[in-house]
Amino acid sequence: MRIIVATVLLLMSTAVLADNSGERTWAGHDSVRTPTAIDVISGLYAFGRFQQGLLESADLRGNQEIKTLAISRAEDAAKRDKALKRIQQAIGAEPDVRKTSTADAALTGPDDSEGPAYVRQFYAAQVAEYEETIALLERYLRAPDNDALSAFAREQLPILRSQLRDAARTMADK
């Protein structure tokens, strides 16, 4: 029995799997296909909508610290969206705007979820969205299909990583 399990594990660790897009990935690694420019633009727009959603939520339930941060992040999103719009127009791409913002879902809860509970939810939602957006950009940069967008992604990654570290550190302190 041990030999069979060891053989299966060995095969899984060295096998090359194919996902439904025809791209190859290795077992144990990210099996998500390499995103296209349209996927990245769509994902960044969704991240911008998330940031706007946090601002709306913070206006309703957040303290001044949260409101100030939400305003700053929403302004960052607006600047990013403006730059993305130029790239999108140059590519002639139509982003997929079906992905909905998770800000509302991440920050809805019982009416008593204000104060410290809301602050923790706010930062936890930020961390999750930053991680997802950073992972999207990193996957894209492995095999970019547009020079302008890859330059934009390389420029945005350090900013997003820094904001992620800040959000994670603040969440840990709360």
Side-chain angles (χ1 to χ4, degrees), residues 74-100:
E75 288 172 351
D76 292 344
K79 290 175 192 173
R80 191 174 43 250
D81 288 355
K82 187 176 180 179
L84 269 177
K85 186 71 172 171
R86 287 191 296 271
I87 295 169
Q88 175 192 341
Q89 289 171 338
I91 294 172
E94 278 302 314
D96 180 6
V97 293
R98 289 179 290 173
K99 181 180 177 186
T100 58

Side-chain angles (χ1 to χ4, degrees), residues 60-137:
L60 296 173
R61 303 190 320 186
N63 61 27
Q64 190 57 45
E65 171 193 357
I66 295 295
K67 289 177 184 179
T68 301
L69 179 64
I71 289 169
S72 174
R73 295 302 181 246
E75 288 172 351
D76 292 344
K79 290 175 192 173
R80 191 174 43 250
D81 288 355
K82 187 176 180 179
L84 269 177
K85 186 71 172 171
R86 287 191 296 271
I87 295 169
Q88 175 192 341
Q89 289 171 338
I91 294 172
E94 278 302 314
D96 180 6
V97 293
R98 289 179 290 173
K99 181 180 177 186
T100 58
S101 171
T102 57
D104 295 334
L107 295 175
T108 56
D111 290 336
D112 63 350
S113 65
E114 304 211 6
Y118 175 78
V119 171
R120 283 190 296 278
Q121 284 181 325
F122 178 89
Y123 283 107
Q126 284 273 317
V127 167
E129 286 293 319
Y130 273 108
E131 288 173 343
E132 182 179 325
T133 302
I134 289 168
L136 173 69
L137 294 178

Side-chain angles (χ1 to χ4, degrees), residues 8-18 25-29:
V8 169
L9 290 174
L10 178 62
L11 289 173
M12 286 177 56
S13 68
T14 59
V16 176
L17 303 173
T25 58
W26 288 266
H29 293 271

Side-chain angles (χ1 to χ4, degrees), residues 40 43-44 47-48 51 73 76-77 80 126-127 129-138 152-168:
V40 171
L44 288 172
F47 183 62
Q51 295 291 352
R73 295 302 181 246
D76 292 344
R80 191 174 43 250
Q126 284 273 317
V127 167
E129 286 293 319
Y130 273 108
E131 288 173 343
E132 182 179 325
T133 302
I134 289 168
L136 173 69
L137 294 178
E138 288 172 339
F152 180 77
R154 281 190 298 280
E155 174 187 302
Q156 290 298 307
L157 268 174
I159 296 166
L160 295 174
R161 286 179 181 137
S162 174
Q163 291 172 349
L164 169 62
R165 281 190 302 274
D166 292 345

